[in-house]
Amino acid sequence: MPTHEATTPPETADPGASGDPLASERAHLAASRAALRAMREDVQALDIRDVTANWVNAAVLQAQMDDRIKALADLAHTPLFFGRLDYLRPVGGEAAEGAEGEQFYIGRRHVHDAHGDPMVIDWRAPVSQPFYQASRNNPLDVDRRRRFGYTGGELTAYEDEHLTDPAEAEQTSKLLQAEIERPRVGPMRDIVATIQPEQDEIVRSGLGGTVCVQGGPGTGKTAVGLHRVAYLLYAHRERLARTGTLVIGPNKSFLHYIEQVLPALGELEVKQATVEDLVAARVEVRGTDEAAAAVIKGDARMAEVLRRAIRSHVTPPTEPVVVVRGSRRWRVPAYEIEEMVTELLARDMRYGAAHEALPQRIAHAVLVRMEEAGEAPDDRVQNAVARNPAVKAAVKAIWPVVDPAKLVLRLLTDAEFLDAHAEGLLTAEERKHLLAAKPGRGVKSAKWTAADAVLIDEAADLVARTHSLGHVVVDEAQDLSPMQYRAVGRRCSTGSATVLGDLAQGTTPWSTASWERALFHLGKADAVVEELTAGFRVPREVIAYASRLLPAISPGLAPVESVREAPGSLAVREVADPESLDAAVVAACEESLRQEGSIGLIAADARVPALAAALAAAGHGHLSPGEETTAASRLTLVPASLAKGLEYDYVVLDEPAAVVDGEPDERTGLRRLYVALTRAVSGLTVLHAAPLPERLAGA
């Protein structure tokens, strides 16, 4: 599979040069860019003044046009196409003798010419799938697969693979390898040019089912999840336009890192949030929990505690309801109302829905009596009876309105109330952990924690059903508590989900031990669990070193098998004098900065201020996680707690023992260290003055 590289600069190449395939491909690229500009200009030129009935319709249509114009933007450094498929015969046609095969350019979006003929086919289209799935054993009717290489947005090379030629030896694609290893400056980018067959199968899985992807560092699980969203929006655009899509990440830095992937693929409508964002609407989070309290608050048993507490507000009636209309009095006895209440409780309706239904039930009973007396009431009469003061007073006493935040506050501050509803569910010791040491006087003054906000969200759903989206992606899902899974599951109760994570990277005290339990709490117990074990990002030497920790942090989990060999990519250096550690770390950063690409200095959170000062003293500025790297500013100082999901070309890891000691227990600390060790794409330098954790010590 020889790689054909440019010998003539793009600006001087003759598009019509005979026998020059590269010049021909450049000409097609130029023509495709011109066609894309024409498509954009056609939308910009549309006049909607005579096609909208009012200003509301005009505003909606204009917003849709603006989004379309943004989606058709030609990004200078993002190639329009990255591959070409030459089919043996017309796609979908008969294998007639002498029939010419079709040729399709595969790219990030669809581009057509003035006649509507395609110049670039969207990578998500069915005709594009063989670009990812075709092989010599199963060519899928493809004669030749061509990959393109780019430099700064200019097409500079191509590489052909003849899938039906038995004489051609199978080789690793140099352009594919170069694209995978291309230095990382700026936010995360798409992987449409490098999607592997096992990744493509997950990306193209249907909308109807939930998929859980277990993937170690560098297996591309985050990219797979984002590309699955892009694929689903392509295949089910109208449905998802109505129901909505959402990407959930572990923190703001991570979301900022991935936020350009979908727009680069032309998808602008996908919202992004953290779990904290989802549940923050009702209270302001200003406090933090001790680990023991947070674990209990995140336990699935709390859902039943909340359910019991809410239902405890229902009080059986003791008095009849008497409705006066004109000169007549209509009486509904207490036992009959109690039957209504019992029936509503048995149906296990949302508390608020039952609150709305009870006055209608009482009103219906009144109407039955009116009909028996010879009257002919209609629906308007029933609604009027339901609003009668006597009925409203009875409902208020029997089935009062419940405020979710007030309910949770009472559970966390009133020991008797908590005991009454946690009996048989939580131990006495667990209940002590739940009770606030300094309870707030009210909802606004309470120092709510992130776990409290999740409890309030659960209580709110027990009162009124949470709106469900069509599809939700949740990344780094191994770190969610059962109650957080329930909060996410409510957002896709009538839709589907893509769950992404790595059990070995669970770094919260409540992190999940198995995907089966996690999916149960999510409400998607029938989800398909896929495992990605081939690593494409982290060098083999680095992932092998980090995998020494797996027996301690996640026994039985298969280590990632990296496809990339990079001799010299790992350096472990001991600093004899602890006082010299900061200077040694700065020197290692300077060494990495002499390489091309991004550099991440990862350290225990407590070590960050000292290292920031050391960098500043040496004249080096640095970025914070989430800030975009540029050619002029490539060094990011990363607290270990925020490293998850991020990638850098070169990583300098400061004092592994401090990373471990910064967590509540050794297992969580070793998992945090595993995350930090696996953020490097090209090289990792580990510096330590304290002894290394036992499993990393030695050769």
Side-chain angles (χ1 to χ4, degrees), residues 33-34 36-37 40 70-78 80 109:
R33 290 197 182 282
L36 181 62
R37 285 195 299 272
R40 196 166 190 257
K70 290 178 184 177
L72 291 173
D74 186 2
L75 306 178
H77 296 288
T78 303
L80 274 187
R109 65 193 66 193

Side-chain angles (χ1 to χ4, degrees), residues 185-186 593 595 597 623 628-635:
V185 174
L593 284 166
Q595 308 292 329
L623 303 170
E628 189 170 318
T629 55
T630 65
S633 185
R634 298 184 289 125
L635 175 61

Side-chain angles (χ1 to χ4, degrees), residues 400 454 505 672 674:
V454 176
Q505 295 186 58
R672 184 75 72 189
Y674 179 76

Side-chain angles (χ1 to χ4, degrees), residues 460-524:
D461 184 71
L462 290 168
V463 173
R465 185 181 298 277
T466 303
H467 173 69
S468 174
L469 299 168
H471 192 78
V472 170
V473 175
V474 53
D475 204 353
E476 302 297 350
Q478 73 280 345
D479 279 339
L480 300 188
S481 70
M483 292 300 286
Q484 287 176 318
Y485 277 117
R486 291 176 62 89
V488 173
R490 288 192 283 277
R491 271 74 184 179
C492 56
S493 58
T494 59
S496 57
T498 301
V499 181
L500 311 166
D502 179 10
L503 297 177
Q505 295 186 58
T507 51
T508 56
W510 50 82
S511 58
T512 189
S514 75
W515 290 122
E516 288 72 22
R517 293 303 301 166
L519 293 167
F520 172 79
H521 295 309
L522 189 71
K524 306 293 182 183

Side-chain angles (χ1 to χ4, degrees), residues 574-580 688-689:
E574 183 175 5
V575 179
D577 179 11
E579 297 297 323
S580 302
H688 68 100

Side-chain angles (χ1 to χ4, degrees), residues 588-632:
C589 290
E590 292 172 341
E591 182 182 326
S592 297
L593 284 166
R594 289 194 284 271
Q595 308 292 329
E596 186 181 3
S598 59
I599 292 87
L601 169 54
I602 304 178
D605 292 30
R607 287 273 295 150
V608 167
L611 292 175
L615 289 171
H620 296 295
H622 67 271
L623 303 170
S624 298
E627 292 185 295
E628 189 170 318
T629 55
T630 65

